[in-house]
């Protein structure tokens, strides 16, 4: 069974090589089929690993280089339930994206399919590896494929600029990770995460370890798009091909947070466990800022992809709050929240792709009332907005409730306000767009030129014919993804499985025993969490009603009495415009923000951990 772990990475890599090698002789449809079969096979392997890792840690050593006397020299995969679950989820999203690509992207070559498979292989390897250096390698592998996919239309200015911003900022994040890893290797002489954690737990920690921790966390925060490292994400997601957006939004940024979770519990918890409360404060505050500011910017967008990109950043903040609470209750709830949101966000991007296919635009004002003849797409888009607002019984509601309950236990009940506000604002933005695009509601307007893309960028579909209908291969993935977001909130036993997986990830002693000494590493048995209470439903109802109210105010503000004095609204508009201008598209400014962010996080960690 352990041998399935490398196969999950090898299968898409081999298929990618075959597709690249046969680009000049094989047909496009054959590439579609081969890519989908390879992604489905890899996803199945991950699902099998998920089932087995639910009982015990699955460890595989390449070349049979198993540890001797507790010292690991070889490279290995250490598969835990959360990692296997995330890998399976990534595979499902890639499969849906490949099916959607069949008709949405007509003018593509085998290179596109090969890049998608390399992207998938990188994500799966990242989730399964037990080696810190390979964690870096797999993230750079998937990142390189993502850069190329974002800039796939290299002859157009906007995708090229978005891809360059994406590549430069994330490469800088990769350098931070590499430097942090080098410091850790110099201190511990190990790259295996279990051995690093075991060594650090029995050594005196000093400034060098704090610097290593800062560089690693900051590097992964760049890739996760935590504020103030987030500027690259709207630039990249708003210009990437829509199927790529679905994968990026549902999985890629979340992997950065997963990496922080892995290195904290596997490498640093033994060394810095006594400073857990201080770290909790730093992470929760960072998550709060990341959730609220991008939520407001999300509501200010009229470019649908850019709107969903800011919603992605806002949800990264909510996930960071869940991760930052540093308990298995919160981590398990965050896992459920992440999967539920990922399905919904991918469905919303696919709906935007359908609109783009039918109307050749993704601008809310240009599309006003032009999608009245697309009721099914409109219903899915509106349901997606309600799901973002945590409408019961979607998975977003269940995950949010679990995290909120965990926050109350840790004395952070005030974060419930953050969850309600961020959910209401992001959901309200999507509902407002649904009302304007599919029902023609609201006053007419024009997008600000600085945030518009040229018409060529808005059009991805090469097929000019057949735009009077939506092919099933486009509507089907949207339906399946939205159903997935609903199923996450309804599947019995899923919250308990997520909590058990989180508890297994936190159990460093069992992890070290399984990886370095070949012990069974059984996953702990935990009782099922209580179902959502009436209070949880009240919070979910508040965020849903808040989203509907915000959408209604935006669409019917001309018929409503003024809610605030004119001077207040003018000042608020000026402040919002100033914040929007920070996302200038100039990569030099983004790098400056990265340097500032690393300094702030480094100072906070130094003050609290030394």
């Amino acid at each position: 069974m352990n041998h399935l772990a490398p196969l999950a990475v090898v299968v898409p890599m081999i298929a990618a090589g075959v597709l690249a090698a046969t680009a000049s002789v094989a047909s496009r449809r054959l590439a579609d089929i081969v890519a989908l079969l390879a992604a489905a096979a890899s996803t199945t392997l991950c699902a099998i690993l998920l089932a087995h890792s639910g009982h015990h840690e699955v460890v595989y050593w390449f070349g049979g280089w198993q540890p001797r006397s507790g010292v690991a020299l070889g490279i290995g995969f250490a598969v835990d339930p959360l990692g296997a679950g995330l890998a399976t989820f990534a595979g499902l999203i890639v499969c849906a994206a490949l099916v959607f690509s069949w008709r949405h992207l007509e003018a593509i070559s085998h290179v596109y399919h090969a890049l998608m498979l390399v992207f998938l292989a990188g994500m799966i390897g990242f989730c399964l590896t037990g080696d810190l250096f390979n964690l870096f390698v797999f993230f750079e592998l998937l990142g390189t494929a993502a850069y190329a996919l974002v800039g796939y239309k290299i002859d157009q200015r906007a995708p090229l600029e978005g891809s360059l911003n994406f590549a430069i900022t994330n490469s800088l994040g990769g350098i931070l990770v590499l430097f942090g890893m080098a410091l850790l290797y110099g201190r511990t002489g190990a790259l295996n995460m279990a051995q690093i954690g075991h060594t650090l737990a029995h050594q005196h920690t000093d400034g060098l370890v704090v610097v290593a921790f800062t560089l690693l966390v900051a590097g992964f925060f760049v890739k996760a798009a935590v504020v103030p490292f987030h500027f690259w994400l709207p630039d990249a997601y708003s210009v990437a091909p829509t199927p790529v957006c679905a994968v990026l939004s549902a999985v890629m940024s979340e992997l950065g947070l997963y990496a922080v979770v892995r290195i904290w519990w596997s490498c640093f918890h033994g060394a810095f466990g006594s400073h857990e409360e201080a770290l909790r404060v730093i992470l929760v505050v960072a998550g709060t800022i990341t959730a609220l500011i991008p939520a407001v910017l999300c509501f200010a967008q009229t470019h649908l992809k850019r709107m969903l990109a800011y919603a992605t950043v806002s949800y990264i903040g909510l996930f960071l709050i869940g991760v930052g609470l540093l308990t298995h209750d919160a981590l398990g709830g965050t896992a459920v929240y992440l999967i539920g949101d990922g399905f919904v966000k991918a469905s919303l991007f696919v709906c935007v792709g359908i609109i783009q296919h039918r109307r050749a635009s993704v601008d809310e004002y240009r599309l006003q009332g032009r999608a009245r003849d697309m009721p099914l797409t409109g219903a899915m888009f509106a349901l997606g907005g309600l799901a973002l607002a945590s409408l019961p019984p979607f998975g977003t509601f269940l995950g949010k409730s679990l995290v909120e309950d965990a926050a109350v236990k840790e004395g952070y009940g005030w974060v419930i306000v953050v969850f309600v506000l961020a959910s209401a604002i992001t959901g309200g933005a999507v509902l407002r767009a649904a009302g304007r695009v599919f029902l023609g509601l609201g006053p007419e307007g024009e997008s600000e030129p600085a945030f518009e893309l040229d018409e060529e960028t808005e059009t991805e579909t090469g097929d000019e014919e057949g735009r009077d209908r939506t092919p099933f291969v486009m509507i089907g993935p949207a339906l399946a993804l939205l159903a997935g977001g609903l199923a996450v909130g309804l599947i019995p036993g899923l919250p308990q499985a997520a909590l058990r997986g989180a508890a297994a990830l936190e159990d460093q002693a069992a992890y070290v025993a399984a990886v370095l000494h070949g012990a069974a590493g059984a996953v702990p048995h935990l009782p099922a969490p209580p179902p959502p209470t009436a209070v949880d439903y009240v919070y979910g109802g508040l965020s849903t009603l808040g989203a509907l109210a915000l959408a209604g105010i935006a669409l019917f503000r001309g018929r409503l009495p003024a809610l605030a004095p004119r001077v207040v609204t003018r000042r608020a508009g000026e402040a919002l415009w100033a914040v929007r201008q920070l996302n200038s598209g100039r990569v030099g400014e983004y790098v400056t923000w990265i340097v500032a962010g690393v300094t702030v996080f480094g100072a906070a960690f130094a003050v609290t951990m030394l």
Side-chain angles (χ1 to χ4, degrees):
M1 185 57 59
N2 295 6
H3 293 76
L4 295 183
L7 280 179
V9 178
V10 169
V11 167
M13 288 296 287
I14 291 177
V18 171
L19 287 172
T22 59
S24 59
V25 295
S27 68
R28 157 70 193 278
R29 291 303 167 215
L30 182 60
D32 287 335
I33 294 170
V34 170
L36 183 59
L37 288 176
S42 184
T43 305
T44 303
L45 291 171
C46 292
I48 295 172
L49 288 171
L50 172 61
H52 282 268
S53 64
H55 303 290
H56 59 82
E57 192 98 16
V58 177
V59 180
Y60 175 84
W61 292 98
F62 288 89
W65 283 65
Q66 298 189 7
R68 299 288 187 272
S69 303
V71 177
L73 295 178
I75 297 171
F77 277 174
V79 184
D80 61 84
L82 287 190
L86 195 53
T88 306
F89 174 65
L92 290 173
I93 296 295
V94 169
C95 287
L98 287 171
V99 172
F100 181 72
S101 302
W102 283 15
R103 288 298 305 275
H104 184 71
L105 300 174
E106 291 288 338
I108 55 174
S109 69
H110 290 204
V111 174
Y112 170 80
H113 302 86
L115 286 171
M116 286 290 277
L117 291 176
V118 172
F119 191 17
L120 175 61
M123 289 190 288
I124 292 175
F126 182 84
C127 296
L128 303 186
T129 186
D131 187 275
L132 186 58
F133 183 73
N134 279 339
L135 198 73
F136 164 77
V137 169
F138 280 120
F139 216 144
E140 293 309 301
L141 176 66
L142 72 91
T144 303
Y147 309 151
L149 286 166
V150 169
Y152 192 77
K153 292 189 173 182
I154 198 169
D155 56 330
Q156 296 180 12
R157 179 182 60 83
L160 187 58
E161 287 184 359
S163 177
L164 286 174
N165 289 350
F166 184 14
I168 292 172
T169 52
N170 276 258
S171 295
L172 188 56
I175 291 172
L176 294 175
V177 172
L178 190 62
F179 285 172
M181 187 175 57
L183 292 178
L184 269 190
Y185 182 73
R187 174 53 56 90
T188 65
L191 290 172
N192 181 276
M193 286 189 277
Q195 190 164 346
I196 290 173
H198 181 70
T199 305
L200 288 179
H202 294 85
Q203 287 185 353
H204 171 68
T205 54
D206 54 15
L208 184 143
V209 182
V210 174
V211 171
F213 179 69
T214 300
L215 293 174
L216 286 168
V217 170
F220 287 123
F221 274 1
V222 172
K223 296 176 180 294
V226 172
V227 172
F229 308 123
H230 68 289
F231 294 104
W232 62 268
L233 190 147
D235 290 352
Y237 288 17
S238 59
V239 297
T242 302
V244 178
C245 289
V247 182
L248 292 172
S249 177
V251 189
M252 182 170 175
S253 296
E254 286 75 1
L255 291 180
L257 291 186
Y258 175 71
V260 174
V261 172
R262 282 295 304 270
I263 63 168
W264 168 251
W265 291 109
S266 300
C267 301
F268 291 100
H269 183 256
F272 293 133
S274 59
H275 304 285
E276 195 171 84
E277 183 55 41
L279 179 64
R280 181 178 293 131
V281 172
I282 295 171
L283 296 180
V284 170
V285 169
T288 300
I289 295 171
T290 305
L292 293 180
I293 295 177
V296 175
L297 292 172
C298 169
F299 200 82
Q301 307 302 317
T302 58
H303 187 284
L304 297 181
K305 284 187 176 180
R306 203 172 184 88
M307 176 191 298
L308 294 178
Y310 275 111
T312 301
V313 181
S314 178
Y315 263 76
I316 287 293
L318 298 181
F319 300 152
L320 179 56
I321 292 174
V323 167
L325 290 170
L326 302 177
T327 67
H328 69 266
D329 290 345
L331 182 57
T334 304
V336 174
Y337 202 9
L338 186 154
I339 301 297
D341 169 70
F343 277 125
V344 170
K345 203 78 68 52
S347 174
L348 285 170
F349 265 112
V350 171
C351 287
V352 171
I354 293 172
I355 299 170
Q356 196 173 15
H357 173 78
R358 296 283 299 273
R359 298 292 178 264
S361 178
V362 291
D363 183 85
E364 185 179 327
Y365 284 125
R366 292 180 187 172
L367 288 166
Q368 185 160 18
R370 293 178 59 200
R372 287 193 178 95
D373 59 340
M374 301 163 61
L376 181 56
T377 305
M380 288 190 295
F381 197 75
L383 272 177
L386 291 171
L388 282 188
S390 304
L391 175 72
F394 276 95
T396 47
F397 164 73
L398 178 61
K400 173 172 159 293
S401 301
L402 291 170
V403 177
E404 288 172 348
D405 292 345
V408 172
K409 289 180 186 175
E410 296 303 313
Y412 284 78
W414 58 268
V415 301
I416 294 174
V417 177
V418 178
F419 278 80
V420 171
L421 284 175
S423 303
I425 296 171
T426 53
V430 175
L431 291 174
R432 182 203 66 206
R436 181 167 280 129
V437 173
F438 294 98
L439 299 177
L441 302 176
E444 294 183 355
E446 293 184 0
S447 301
E448 292 83 357
F451 295 92
E452 282 188 288
L453 300 175
D454 51 80
E455 191 70 31
E456 193 177 26
T457 304
E458 294 189 17
T459 306
E460 291 176 350
T461 309
D463 183 10
E464 295 294 333
E465 299 180 355
R467 287 190 175 180
D468 56 339
R469 60 184 179 83
T470 305
F472 179 75
V473 292
M474 298 178 74
I475 205 80
L479 273 172
L481 290 166
L482 189 62
L486 180 62
V488 170
L490 298 173
I491 296 175
L494 181 61
Q496 184 182 17
L499 293 187
R500 291 185 63 204
L505 186 64
E506 289 182 4
D507 192 346
Q508 189 191 16
Y511 179 69
V512 170
V515 175
L516 299 184
H517 303 289
V523 174
H525 288 281
L526 295 173
T533 63
V535 174
D536 295 321
Y537 280 97
V538 169
Y539 294 144
L542 282 176
S543 55
T544 305
L545 290 175
L548 289 168
L550 287 171
I553 292 171
L555 292 173
F556 303 108
R557 61 179 181 272
R559 306 178 193 176
L560 299 175
L563 300 178
R566 185 177 296 276
V567 64
V568 174
T569 57
R570 188 175 68 248
R571 296 295 183 191
E574 291 172 355
L576 179 61
W577 178 256
V579 174
R580 289 179 65 173
Q581 292 303 304
L582 295 177
N583 225 127
S584 61
R586 291 188 283 271
V587 70
E589 296 180 7
Y590 297 174
V591 171
T592 303
W593 280 106
I594 290 175
V595 173
V598 173
T599 305
V600 171
F601 277 108
F605 292 150
V607 168
T608 56
M609 293 182 172
L610 287 178

